Amino acid sequence: TSQAEVDLTRARTEHEAYVEVLRKRLELEVVELPADESLPDCVFVEDAAVVCGETALITRPGAESRRGEVRDVSV
């Protein structure tokens, strides 16, 4: 919500560390999707679907700007 500048190098480093924790410590499969510039919050797409075994629960994000994310994870 703020207009603060994002340190892109730091953000990338933090994202890489986050993905590594998910993969190595939690032993989760991480599927990375290509960026979609039309979805301003696409970096947070991890909560658009929850998968357990052979079942996927596709969510409905509360923010209207995030609803397009569901299209990409439900394919």
Side-chain angles (χ1 to χ4, degrees), residues 1-5 17 19 21 23-24 33 39 43 48 50 52 64 71:
T1 59
S2 74
Q3 296 298 319
E5 278 195 41
V19 170
V21 166
R23 285 185 170 142
K24 303 231 170 132
L33 303 173
L39 300 170
V43 72
V50 178
C52 184
E64 186 71 35
R71 169 195 68 233

Side-chain angles (χ1 to χ4, degrees), residues 11-12 18-19 29 41 56-57 67 69:
R12 285 184 174 144
Y18 173 61
V19 170
E29 179 183 2
D41 297 324
L57 171 65
R67 302 248 170 97
E69 297 169 11

Side-chain angles (χ1 to χ4, degrees), residues 7-22:
D7 180 337
L8 190 54
T9 301
R10 181 178 176 191
R12 285 184 174 144
T13 300
E14 290 176 354
H15 180 264
E16 289 169 7
Y18 173 61
V19 170
E20 186 169 335
V21 166
L22 293 173

